């Protein structure tokens, strides 16, 4: 098999694309490797995190979104965040909101639909009425741009809770968020 790759020239000798860049500091015992320590800490805490999430789902399974709002466990709106919201509070609310999101099928890769494409034109017959991009088309465009960015490994930004809920429908298990005083950073877990 390898000789076939050598003969065709399709063999890639650069192995850094498979495992990432290896640095000499990765093997040093004198200085701690932050990435390795974080991965080990995540692995140790994984079982506790899974148990905590399972207990929370069981506890709030039969409660509606409105009841959670009345209990003040989540914010009263799907729009802009309250002024008292912190990242710690948001992470708890994010887990609760996640329980009410139904993910899209795997085949659905972008937000769209019948009315999601722009047909901008100037109509002289109706005295100059413009038929351009609707609010829904603009929203679809924004969500699809964010999806493209986070799928390429970048961090993007959301300004409303309903935007994060929409992203959760595409990346239910891999979407990560961080609240940053009025907006959210969103990315995908590697």
């Amino acid at each position: 098999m390898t000789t076939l790759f050598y003969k065709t020239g399709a063999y890639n000798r650069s192995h850094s694309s498979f495992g990432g860049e290896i640095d000499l500091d990765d093997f040093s015992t004198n200085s701690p490797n932050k990435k390795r320590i974080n991965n080990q800490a995540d692995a140790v805490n994984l079982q506790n995190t899974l148990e905590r999430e399972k207990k929370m789902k069981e506890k709030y399974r039969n409660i509606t979104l409105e009841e959670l709002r009345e209990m003040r466990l989540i914010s009263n709106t799907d729009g802009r965040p309250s002024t008292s919201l912190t990242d710690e509070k948001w992470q708890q609310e994010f887990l609760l909101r996640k329980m009410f999101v139904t993910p899209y099928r795997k085949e659905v890769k972008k937000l769209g639909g019948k009315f999601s494409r722009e047909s901008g034109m100037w109509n002289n017959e109706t005295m100059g009425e413009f038929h351009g991009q609707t609010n829904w088309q603009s929203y679809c465009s924004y969500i699809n741009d964010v999806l493209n960015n986070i799928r390429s490994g970048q961090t993007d930004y959301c300004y409303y809770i309903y935007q994060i809920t929409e992203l959760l429908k595409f990346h239910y298990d891999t979407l990560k968020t961080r609240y940053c005083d009025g907006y959210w950073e969103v990315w995908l877990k590697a």
Side-chain angles (χ1 to χ4, degrees):
M1 181 89 177
T2 12
T3 55
L4 177 66
F5 287 122
Y6 279 109
K7 288 179 184 175
T8 61
Y11 182 73
N12 183 3
R13 292 180 183 209
S14 172
H15 298 290
S16 66
S17 62
F18 294 105
E21 295 289 327
I22 296 176
D23 191 10
L24 189 57
D25 292 333
D26 290 338
F27 302 103
S28 173
T29 56
N30 295 330
S31 62
N33 181 329
K34 290 180 182 176
K35 183 186 272 185
R36 184 180 64 234
I37 290 171
N38 286 341
N39 287 342
Q40 289 172 351
D42 289 344
V44 168
N45 294 330
L46 178 64
Q47 188 64 31
N48 294 337
T49 304
L50 291 175
E51 288 175 8
R52 189 171 55 243
E53 286 180 14
K54 185 178 177 182
K55 286 179 184 176
M56 185 171 54
K57 282 184 180 181
E58 289 174 9
K59 182 177 180 182
Y60 298 117
R61 184 177 59 191
N62 296 323
I63 296 178
T64 65
L65 198 58
E66 288 75 27
E67 290 172 333
L68 287 173
R69 286 185 176 137
E70 288 174 10
M71 296 168 63
R72 297 182 183 256
L73 292 173
I74 62 172
S75 58
N76 277 336
T77 178
D78 287 335
R80 298 290 297 151
S82 67
T83 55
S84 63
L85 188 65
T86 63
D87 185 50
E88 185 178 329
K89 288 179 186 177
W90 167 249
Q91 294 305 326
Q92 293 171 353
E93 182 174 336
F94 182 65
L95 289 175
L96 288 172
R97 284 183 176 272
K98 205 173 178 182
M99 294 180 349
F100 295 94
V101 172
T102 303
Y104 290 135
R105 296 182 319 270
K106 295 290 183 192
E107 306 89 51
V108 179
K109 298 293 182 193
K110 64 180 190 171
L111 188 61
K114 183 177 179 182
F115 301 105
S116 65
R117 288 169 190 75
E118 180 179 354
S119 60
M121 61 183 177
W122 188 264
N123 189 346
N124 288 328
E125 296 172 2
T126 59
M127 306 304 279
E129 183 180 333
F130 181 72
H131 298 284
Q133 190 177 37
T134 64
N135 287 342
W136 174 249
Q137 291 165 341
S138 177
Y139 179 70
C140 288
S141 177
Y142 174 76
I143 293 297
N144 290 333
D145 285 346
V146 172
L147 285 169
N148 287 337
N149 287 337
I150 63 176
R151 286 175 181 156
S152 69
Q154 299 176 23
T155 298
D156 211 329
Y157 306 96
C158 289
Y159 304 95
Y160 297 95
I161 295 172
Y162 61 83
Q163 294 169 339
I164 294 172
T165 305
E166 197 71 51
L167 295 174
L168 264 174
K169 294 177 183 178
F170 291 96
H171 295 285
Y172 187 80
D173 294 321
T174 56
L175 184 70
K176 295 291 179 186
T177 62
R178 179 182 309 118
Y179 180 71
C180 302
D181 196 30
Y183 65 93
W184 288 269
E185 292 179 350
V186 292
W187 69 95
L188 295 180
K189 180 172 62 173

